[in-house]
Amino acid sequence: MIIKAAPKPKVTIEGILGRGYFPPELPPPFSTRSFASLIAATKTASLPQEFTQKKNQWCDFVAYSLSRPGSLRRRLALLNPVAYYRLAKFVVDHQAELIKRATASHLSLAKPAAGIARQLKRSKRFDAVPLERAMVRMGERFLLTADVSRFYPSIYTHAIDWAISSKARAKRQLKSKGKKPTVGATLDKLVQSCQSGQTRGIPIGPAVSMLLSELLLTKVDARLKARKITHGFRYADDYELTFNERAQAERALAALEDALAEFELELNPAKTNINELPQELDNRGIQELRRFEFRTQYQAQRSDLMHFFTRAFALHKEFPDKAILRYAVSRLSPATTTGANAELLQRLILQAVSYESGVWPMAIDQLVELHRTHPLLSVADVGLTIHSMIRNYAHLNHSSEVAWSLWAGLVFAIRLTAAAVKSVVSMLDDCCCLLLFDAASRGLTAINLRQRRLRHGFHRTVYAGRTGYWRTSLLFRVGSLRQNRRTISLKMPSSSF
């Protein structure tokens, strides 16, 4: 009896719009799933003409400044719904060809795939890297590690077409008039329309950008395979290639630079090295914290918490570019914390937030569990940390620090002071302003946001110079589609504790 393999799931427009639109690093209230569901339930012919017209309309995007371990930041993009729908729809319609091309690499460890919800995702998470290192380094003596410099911001949108067809063919296509545009050329134009016609860089955050990046680097990998460079792997834009001789690694480095240059990309010299094996398989700081066990008796548990965070803070300083404190906070178990140690644990978690703001997502989950287990625990310390973060980061327009602080305030019903409200109002940040509006609607702000002065500030920040039915500031006003008395809109749902 022949058992047929189950067909691979296909990506759908609802999957991409619902789980591959907004960057996953945003606070939980920001969701596009209702938007995706209604788009999917609406016939294409019933959509407004902006969604279906042949000519691409240039749209701007909302920027979100994301903190990263270390001192560098990442500028995420929240795209206009019309522009991203058109891009996502084209990808869904041509997914057989695009996914086949994007998964052809012999080096890529995390190839594009359709998830359970029919969204685009990587086939493996980053935590698969240590095991892969252990598997591929056997019998080799030298390791070439390389990282593409500012990968997404450096991608030339025309290179998408070069990767799908070829540079020569793409240029011939540009010169010919009246011919139907190729798949690559159409993708090029659709990506440009998401970022006001810019040809340098692709948006960081949407799932489609991951697919496009894999299309490009799969072509680079093919150039390496032609040079018989086959040992090792690539995760996203990070290469780890193994060799028996240093000379082989040096030739491979030159070949990689040549292949990237063909697509107008280059390596980051600070992250490109040839080292003799053995090398660490995983960060030893993470390894140390992973082995830690907490006792449940009051005095012993207190000693364990002090020891654990002493090591976590020291390892954070030793490895500032690694997410040590994020991992440390995620390892905690508030439900087993004794009542006498609850305040200590809360303060240690909030210290971790102050030292690395990217800890907030894990910290909020752990603090919620801690307060459920110990309902008499005060939230005063949480409020102090929230106001400290807003005071320190709002004037820098650091989106993620302030947005997650505001979300923590909503979760724990912290009333924001007048100074904190004014600091957020002064930011040119749509996500933070939306969260502030939600706090105000719940009576959690010391200032009434309907005051003329503050209202003018919001209007200037969000709407200045932005006209048209489909506004640049998609979070505040993206227009709507009415179909059977239902409305498509990107609204933030009510937050809950």
Side-chain angles (χ1 to χ4, degrees), residues 187-199:
L187 279 173
D188 176 10
K189 294 297 183 183
L190 287 169
V191 172
Q192 290 181 43
S193 71
C194 291
Q195 48 194 23
S196 297
Q198 292 294 320
T199 59

Side-chain angles (χ1 to χ4, degrees), residues 6 9 16 21 87 89 181 252 312 322 384 422 452:
I16 291 185
Y21 184 170
L87 174 60
K89 181 70 165 59
K322 303 296 181 182
L384 289 173
K422 290 179 180 179
R452 182 179 181 277

